[in-house]
Amino acid sequence: MPRRLASSLSDEVLEHVFSFIQSDKDRNVVSAVCKSWYEIERWCRRKIFVGNCYAVSPKMVIRRFPQVRSIELKGKPHFADFNLVPDGWGGYVLQWITEMAGAYPWLDEIRLKRMVVTDESLELIAKSFKDFKVLVLASCEGFSTDGLAAIAASCKNLRELDLRESEVDDSSVHWLSHFPETYTSMVSLNISCLGSGEVSFSALERLVSRCPNLRSLKLNRAVPLDKTANILRLAPQLVEFSTCTYSAELRSDVFSNLAGAFSNCKELRSLSGFWDVVPDYLPAIYSVCSRLTSLNLSYATIQSPDLIKLASHCPSLQHLLVLDYTEDSGLEALASNSKDLQELRVFPSDPFDAEPNASLTEQGLVAVSLGCPKLQSVLYFCRRMSNAALVTIAQNRPNLTRFRLCIIEPKTADYLTGEPFGVGFGAIVEHCKDLIRLSLSGLLTDCVFEYIGKYAKKLEMLSVAFAGDSDLGLHHVLSGCESLRKLEIRDCPFGDKALLTNAAKLETMRSLWMSSCSVSFEACKLLSQKMPRLNVEVIDERGPPDSRPENYTVDKLYIYRSVAGPRFDMPPFVWTKDEDLALRLSP
Amino acid sequence: MQGGGGGGSESGSMSTVSRDENMVVSSEDSSCPDESGLELGLGLSLGGGGGGGGGGRQGGGFKMHHVSKGGPYARILTAKDFPSSSLSSSSSSSSSSPSLSKANVTAGTKRTAESVAVAANGSSQVVGWPPIRAYRMNSMVNQAKVLTMENHKKETSMVENSSIGGYRNDGNTKLKKSTFVKVNMDGTPIGRKVDLNAHESYEKLAKTLEDMFLETAPSVNPSGSTALQLDMLNRMTRHSKLLDGSSDFVLTYEDKEGDWMLVGDVPWEMFLTSVKRLRIMRKSEATGLAPR
């Protein structure tokens, strides 16, 4: 009887059951039960997430999942955000769009991160997918307002257009005006990355006024303050809003207009922007502060007293992003006012100055850790830290899931004891059993990696810089961290041994990045030969690695698992096995 | 390539920015468990007989170790397995003077010229460090520029722009460099930075500095504070103590020629073009400065 159970349920019933299973992991498990479940599941999977666009080819995805409606792709490795990946490395989306245009006429959602998107790709999206609804381009580049104009003109049912942190070229086209007058479906619009020439304010106003479902609006910074009030009055139903530039001079008429407009917005829960804000304007938002759950002041150069005052009005805050101008005193005030805080990010206002320009130390973070019981996610830039502080944080906040600490000067030791931070980060990984993301900094020996390998069993992403003494450090991580998916390392003395010993581990991970470490090209070739399902890319702009002495180490190394084999769009500075090299060099 | 070698002794692009390189090489983390028993002398198997072009040069046979959950993670090779290796693997990697790790560390302290640039203020800058997104960095640079543009546009352009219906960069604004200057106060170790363009007068600047440096508690009703402090905290008065001489401190600035002057002598715009940094100086030390 049990053997026939799988086939005794009709396909339609199974499909209906599967429709309740949304997560990719669960779907993958379901598809592995038996052949018939695999078949049923693949026909009804609607959402695909590809964490590395080179891990699989579009044809393979289409072959297995013929009826996809929503796709998310990620391209360049994370360190591309910090200019460590040379231009032209890859991450092109055009081939994906071309293949999907033919195979998925009903595709309605495309989400891309760190990919190169061209106007051609955008035009193809605009004309291929009749019911297109969601376009998210996060940290993308390669397109201009021409491409946006095509989207605006053709996608009648577009609900979401989010260009967060992308680089958009200005082609001087009034792309916003390309939304026809009959278009009314916008729900979420994020154009905060656009420059001043790229948004016609009157077109924006008209668009906002005819989209009654608009919930999230993030303007670009060039929209002046007096216009902000107009926009808000047109869209009092907004839940998320990013302001634009505040002028440098307080004008009472502008202020009261703005305050009035904000007070109309009863649904507002998230505010960001605040570029160049002058503190005198902040009270204009006080009326919405009590309901705010998310506040991004990380572009606002306001000082601690104003921030303290603002924070005292926001008891419901769950997410706060802020500059180090907030200082320890600001964070202490936050700790006593905002008991629902889940996420804190503190960015440096002047990262390149050797001396601190704001009184922000480890004390601020300790205060928030002690005072905010729901704190889960931390990103903290500071100039000094102690093991004692880290231990305190770890013991008081075992519920931390993301902990990223950046002590600005590399290899800074514990300022109280002069010791490395093995004990401190060791406490973090030991106590925070659900930690999935960790970034290390400061003076670190191999010791910290032993702790990480021993305790960080749920860790999925680890970022390491200027740390460790030897291959043993890397070995601890690769052999101990069972859940590791992404490992990125720069400027550490990790070399061939740890890599080659743990070659098999690399197939269980999405990717490994190593730059300015001690890996030789020979080891890369060896790894590549023995592990055919890994793409081993040596990124080196200094010339063919083969032409240098044998023990010369590679500049950058990016290793990722792939079922698609080597990619065909590698630029000249990416080197792989000998055969490819010979092909490349032949005339 | 030597068998199992970590890139040999000539490798090195590990950038060392800290001035305390000695501490890096010699520091011990004494809380870490003793690792003297564990050596890392591992390599990759080439299957039967060495295979491939690189096989012969590897010297000796190696074994590939598959990582399995919970099982031992490596077969430890010792110096005997590498008869031709020039790397001594007899030391432990985490003790104070391991030859293997020392080779890596000292080799690694060579800094490649490309990846490090020394910034004008003397601190070394490494590519991509600190890890701040390019988007955010560009915003920080643009912040100063936009403030400059705003100042140029003050009264007239608001009206113009609303009639055009769009806000466009008029292209004839000059872009100045950053308007943040450092401020230090005698007796306070940590300096601050203040944006001069966010203030249009000496009074405003002095108020900001008083709030930053002379305020003892952030609360609105400080108990036990002196009359002087209460006065400063009171935002209704626009009267600056730093400027009128009634405080124990005076506000001074260093100009382009390197001279220290009392703030307030020259017109505000002229001050903006010549100020390099500010200092809140004890009155007793401010003798010999140009009088008001």
Side-chain angles (χ1 to χ4, degrees):
Chain A
M1 189 58 193
R3 212 182 310 148
R4 290 179 54 218
L5 188 61
S7 57
S8 67
L9 291 170
S10 71
D11 287 3
E12 287 88 5
V13 171
L14 278 171
E15 202 176 302
H16 181 69
V17 171
F18 293 169
S19 68
F20 294 101
I21 300 169
Q22 302 291 342
S23 98
D24 290 331
K25 279 203 191 93
D26 292 341
R27 282 255 168 187
N28 291 343
V29 167
V30 158
S31 67
V33 166
C34 63
K35 281 192 180 140
S36 63
W37 281 34
Y38 177 93
E39 276 302 306
I40 297 166
E41 194 281 320
R42 77 182 188 90
W43 278 95
C44 68
R45 191 173 313 201
R46 297 283 174 262
K47 259 184 112 152
I48 301 283
F49 169 74
V50 180
N52 174 4
C53 64
Y54 291 119
V56 68
S57 74
K59 280 196 163 69
M60 286 167 146
V61 174
I62 291 167
R63 194 163 56 226
R64 178 169 170 191
F65 301 112
Q67 294 191 341
V68 166
R69 297 280 170 94
S70 161
I71 188 151
E72 183 175 347
L73 297 170
K74 292 190 181 181
K76 301 185 205 177
H78 174 235
F79 273 1
D81 284 352
F82 316 126
N83 296 327
L84 287 175
V85 177
D87 271 349
W89 170 83
Y92 306 104
V93 81
L94 184 59
Q95 207 215 339
W96 283 88
I97 306 290
T98 311
E99 300 278 354
M100 293 191 301
Y104 297 147
W106 296 112
L107 189 75
D108 54 23
E109 297 185 356
I110 295 177
R111 293 179 171 84
L112 305 175
K113 188 167 185 180
R114 286 190 211 100
M115 294 199 77
V116 179
V117 181
T118 54
D119 286 341
E120 190 186 345
S121 308
L122 292 177
E123 282 151 18
L124 198 51
I125 291 173
K127 68 174 194 239
S128 311
F129 307 115
K130 299 301 165 204
D131 195 32
F132 198 68
K133 296 199 176 74
V134 172
L135 183 63
V136 177
L137 303 175
S139 304
C140 294
E141 49 164 356
F143 61 102
S144 76
T145 42
D146 278 343
L148 296 179
I151 298 282
S154 309
C155 302
K156 302 183 188 43
N157 293 323
L158 191 70
R159 283 200 319 237
E160 193 174 326
L161 178 62
D162 184 338
L163 306 175
R164 60 179 84 150
E165 303 191 5
S166 290
E167 258 181 61
V168 185
D169 299 324
D170 183 9
S171 68
S172 302
V173 135
H174 286 249
W175 67 278
L176 262 183
S177 314
H178 285 239
F179 281 108
E181 288 301 315
T182 49
Y183 169 79
T184 57
S185 353
M186 190 65 82
V187 173
S188 172
L189 180 64
N190 179 351
I191 50 173
S192 52
C193 63
L194 293 182
S196 53
E198 294 156 13
V199 177
S200 148
F201 191 76
S202 52
L204 180 64
E205 263 185 330
R206 285 197 306 274
L207 183 65
V208 170
S209 60
R210 65 180 188 270
C211 294
N213 297 322
L214 192 65
R215 287 281 174 272
S216 171
L217 179 62
K218 297 191 177 171
L219 301 173
N220 65 324
R221 59 192 292 180
V223 177
L225 195 58
D226 49 346
K227 306 291 189 186
T228 302
N230 294 359
I231 289 275
L232 281 175
R233 288 188 194 282
L234 290 171
Q237 75 282 8
L238 283 177
V239 174
E240 270 190 345
F241 183 62
S242 178
T243 72
C244 42
T245 297
Y246 280 58
S247 66
E249 179 188 291
L250 177 65
R251 286 169 40 183
S252 57
D253 53 334
V254 173
F255 178 91
S256 45
N257 193 14
L258 195 62
F262 269 111
S263 62
N264 278 343
C265 299
K266 310 288 186 206
E267 309 294 319
L268 208 50
R269 296 289 175 272
S270 164
L271 275 182
S272 53
F274 296 101
W275 312 92
D276 318 316
V277 70
V278 161
D280 292 332
Y281 272 115
L282 284 177
I285 67 167
Y286 282 176
S287 57
V288 298
C289 280
S290 60
R291 293 184 290 268
L292 281 183
T293 54
S294 167
L295 189 54
N296 183 352
L297 294 168
S298 64
Y299 297 99
T301 55
I302 57 181
Q303 307 281 354
S304 186
D306 299 302
L307 278 164
I308 291 172
K309 232 193 267 179
L310 185 59
S312 65
H313 282 83
C314 306
S316 316
L317 221 47
Q318 293 170 13
H319 306 270
L320 177 65
L321 286 74
V322 78
L323 285 174
D324 58 6
Y325 289 130
T326 189
E327 305 199 322
D328 290 337
S329 51
L331 294 177
E332 281 151 18
L334 183 72
S336 53
N337 282 325
S338 308
K339 294 302 184 186
D340 283 343
L341 197 71
Q342 294 172 16
E343 177 184 12
L344 174 68
R345 298 193 186 202
V346 180
F347 295 96
S349 51
D350 195 351
F352 299 116
D353 202 329
E355 287 154 43
N357 62 315
S359 182
L360 179 94
T361 69
E362 82 283 3
Q363 294 304 318
L365 183 57
V366 171
V368 175
S369 308
L370 291 175
C372 301
K374 300 187 191 170
L375 189 69
Q376 280 177 16
S377 172
V378 170
L379 169 60
Y380 201 77
F381 285 81
C382 59
R383 287 186 160 83
R384 76 172 201 203
M385 184 52 62
S386 66
N387 280 302
L390 287 173
V391 170
T392 304
I393 292 166
Q395 288 172 342
N396 283 281
R397 285 282 67 77
N399 48 326
L400 284 174
T401 55
R402 291 165 176 82
F403 189 75
R404 292 193 276 164
L405 178 68
C406 179
I407 305 168
I408 290 177
E409 181 75 15
K411 301 196 181 166
T412 304
D414 177 333
Y415 80 99
L416 292 173
T417 64
E419 297 275 296
F421 286 105
V423 166
F425 282 110
I428 295 277
V429 291
E430 186 182 353
H431 291 273
C432 306
K433 302 202 188 307
D434 291 324
L435 198 70
I436 58 175
R437 185 166 182 185
L438 177 65
S439 297
L440 307 173
S441 59
L443 183 63
L444 293 163
T445 63
D446 284 344
C447 185
V448 71
F449 299 108
E450 181 168 2
Y451 285 131
I452 292 174
K454 182 173 177 190
Y455 291 114
K457 295 306 180 188
K458 295 217 181 134
L459 193 67
E460 295 179 10
M461 182 169 178
L462 178 66
S463 308
V464 185
F466 305 103
D469 307 313
S470 73
D471 276 49
L472 205 54
L474 178 58
H475 177 66
H476 283 310
V477 171
L478 289 176
S479 57
C481 296
E482 293 161 8
S483 311
L484 197 63
R485 292 189 298 115
K486 291 180 277 184
L487 179 57
E488 45 186 27
I489 301 171
R490 62 164 296 174
D491 294 277
C492 296
F494 300 149
D496 301 343
K497 275 189 189 171
L499 208 56
L500 295 175
T501 307
N502 295 283
K505 170 71 173 176
L506 298 178
E507 252 188 40
T508 68
M509 292 164 52
R510 181 187 298 175
S511 65
L512 166 65
W513 169 279
M514 290 177 76
S515 56
S516 304
C517 295
S518 311
V519 180
S520 70
F521 190 54
E522 283 300 318
C524 296
K525 283 197 288 187
L526 200 54
L527 189 63
S528 194
Q529 279 162 15
K530 294 322 279 183
M531 307 291 296
R533 289 188 303 183
L534 288 182
N535 279 5
V536 179
E537 293 189 14
V538 171
I539 300 165
D540 206 324
E541 292 172 285
R542 300 170 295 186
D546 259 5
S547 66
R548 289 197 287 280
E550 274 178 14
N551 52 10
Y552 206 82
T553 57
V554 303
D555 184 23
K556 293 164 184 164
L557 178 60
Y558 185 47
I559 302 172
Y560 53 91
R561 65 180 175 188
S562 176
V563 293
R567 57 183 175 114
F568 299 108
D569 56 3
M570 280 186 282
F573 53 80
V574 173
W575 311 91
T576 53
K577 299 198 294 273
D578 282 350
E579 310 92 76
D580 296 3
L581 188 64
L583 276 171
R584 186 116 29 83
L585 291 178
S586 60
Chain B
M1 185 192 91
Q2 281 87 29
S9 56
E10 287 305 303
S11 69
S13 57
M14 186 178 96
S15 306
T16 309
V17 185
S18 167
R19 292 170 210 104
D20 296 330
E21 288 178 26
N22 293 335
M23 197 147 87
V24 175
V25 177
S26 62
S27 71
E28 282 175 34
D29 193 339
S30 56
S31 54
C32 199
D34 177 34
E35 293 174 59
S36 53
L38 184 63
E39 299 165 7
L40 199 64
L42 307 158
L44 186 67
S45 167
L46 297 176
R57 282 183 276 158
Q58 299 303 321
F62 303 149
K63 295 269 154 40
M64 165 118 81
H65 302 287
H66 291 271
V67 176
S68 56
K69 281 189 195 183
Y73 45 65
R75 177 177 89 82
I76 311 297
L77 303 179
T78 61
K80 294 195 287 296
D81 294 309
F82 299 84
S84 58
S85 168
S86 61
L87 278 168
S88 140
S89 51
S90 59
S91 57
S92 73
S93 313
S94 70
S95 64
S96 55
S97 55
S99 59
L100 178 62
S101 58
K102 200 171 195 174
N104 279 333
V105 169
T106 50
T109 55
K110 270 196 219 144
R111 187 185 311 168
T112 55
E114 306 92 62
S115 68
V116 179
V118 179
N121 62 7
S123 68
S124 300
Q125 286 191 24
V126 180
V127 171
W129 189 267
I132 298 171
R133 278 193 178 166
Y135 179 74
R136 181 171 289 279
M137 300 285 260
N138 293 340
S139 306
M140 277 156 51
V141 168
N142 282 331
Q143 223 144 21
K145 290 182 186 169
V146 170
L147 279 172
T148 310
M149 275 159 50
E150 284 294 331
N151 280 342
H152 282 271
K153 286 179 179 301
K154 266 185 205 160
E155 266 81 37
T156 54
S157 37
M158 292 277 197
V159 176
E160 279 169 35
N161 284 325
S162 47
S163 61
I164 294 169
Y167 187 89
R168 287 182 165 273
N169 187 342
D170 67 2
N172 61 2
T173 51
K174 279 186 300 204
L175 301 177
K176 289 199 297 203
K177 34 191 234 292
S178 173
T179 53
F180 278 81
V181 294
K182 272 205 99 121
V183 191
N184 283 87
M185 172 159 149
D186 287 352
T188 304
I190 293 181
R192 309 284 290 276
K193 271 209 168 151
V194 66
D195 180 7
L196 292 179
N197 266 348
H199 308 85
E200 320 95 44
S201 68
Y202 287 121
E203 281 290 341
K204 287 228 166 118
L205 176 63
K207 285 303 297 172
T208 300
L209 293 177
E210 280 163 20
D211 286 342
M212 272 186 196
F213 287 92
L214 298 177
E215 190 171 282
T216 51
S219 58
V220 179
N221 296 308
S223 52
S225 49
T226 63
L228 187 70
Q229 287 163 345
L230 269 173
D231 220 359
M232 285 176 189
L233 288 168
N234 189 344
R235 281 183 171 269
M236 297 324 291
T237 61
R238 313 280 295 168
H239 193 54
S240 162
K241 299 285 174 189
L242 274 176
L243 292 182
D244 72 352
S246 56
S247 157
D248 288 333
F249 292 88
V250 289
L251 185 57
T252 64
Y253 74 101
E254 185 184 33
D255 69 6
K256 286 209 168 93
E257 271 90 42
D259 299 324
W260 284 92
M261 322 274 279
L262 275 178
V263 164
D265 285 344
V266 300
W268 175 254
E269 278 70 32
M270 196 183 296
F271 168 72
L272 284 183
T273 58
S274 58
V275 61
K276 262 178 33 191
R277 56 190 168 128
L278 297 166
R279 180 171 159 203
I280 302 175
M281 206 182 277
R282 290 207 179 85
K283 220 179 195 175
S284 47
E285 296 193 48
T287 53
L289 291 179
R292 281 211 78 194

